[in-house]
Amino acid sequence: MSIRRRDGFSLIELVIVVAIVLIVTAIAVPNFTTAYNNIRLRSAANDLAGLIQQARMRSQKTNTIITINYAGQQAFIDLNNNGNLDQFEPVITFPGNIAAFQGAAPTPYVLVGDTGNVVYNNPTVLGYSTRGLPCVFAAGACPAPAGGYFVYYLQDQRANGQVGWAAVVVSRSGRSKSVVWTGNSWQ
């Protein structure tokens, strides 16, 4: 008489498979979380760059001075230049813990090819003249052209304690682009 074997998995085989799945998950989840946070940060920087370009085009179209301002986790086109977010002003809201940073970035961004020594950052109110050229808006005036380029930093305070960085760069001619800090360089 032979012993008949039943089809299926033994308890040892199931425990080994579960252990392998747990190890792979422990390795993969932090990588997925970091990738998700980086995508979200780059998206916020791209949204800000788009809002800045919208302000530039609107200033040219309406032949008025228009500024970009921040309110917590929001950036908005200040159509009446009063510094407040009013009804009907275009606005973007940064996701999660992303906000405009008021301080020094890990390594300041340097615009390649710009020979000026003047760089404006987050405390500076970016304005666009009636011709759509970037300027430093102060005391209701927008003298153009600006003496340098603008870099607006975004900071992402992540749940794991790490900090992500992005920046939107506005050249003297008014073109904007977004870059992300990789830990070694801006890309």
Side-chain angles (χ1 to χ4, degrees), residues 148-176:
Y149 61 95
F150 298 79
V151 181
Y152 291 96
Y153 297 102
L154 298 177
Q155 184 183 45
D156 182 11
Q157 291 286 347
R158 298 175 178 174
N160 62 4
Q162 294 179 340
V163 178
W165 292 92
V168 175
V169 183
V170 181
S171 70
R172 293 180 198 213
S173 64
R175 293 194 172 136
S176 66

Side-chain angles (χ1 to χ4, degrees), residues 43-55:
S43 175
N46 288 337
D47 289 347
L48 179 57
L51 186 75
I52 287 171
Q53 283 304 305
Q54 184 180 352

Side-chain angles (χ1 to χ4, degrees), residues 88-160:
F88 304 116
E89 289 182 331
V91 63
I92 60 170
T93 301
F94 301 121
N97 294 326
I98 298 172
F101 184 67
Q102 301 296 323
T107 299
Y109 179 84
V110 177
L111 183 61
V112 176
D114 192 291
T115 57
N117 294 328
V118 179
V119 179
Y120 303 104
N121 56 21
N122 291 39
T124 306
V125 176
L126 171 63
Y128 281 98
S129 69
T130 57
R131 293 180 168 248
L133 293 173
C135 57
V136 176
F137 184 80
C142 195
Y149 61 95
F150 298 79
V151 181
Y152 291 96
Y153 297 102
L154 298 177
Q155 184 183 45
D156 182 11
Q157 291 286 347
R158 298 175 178 174
N160 62 4

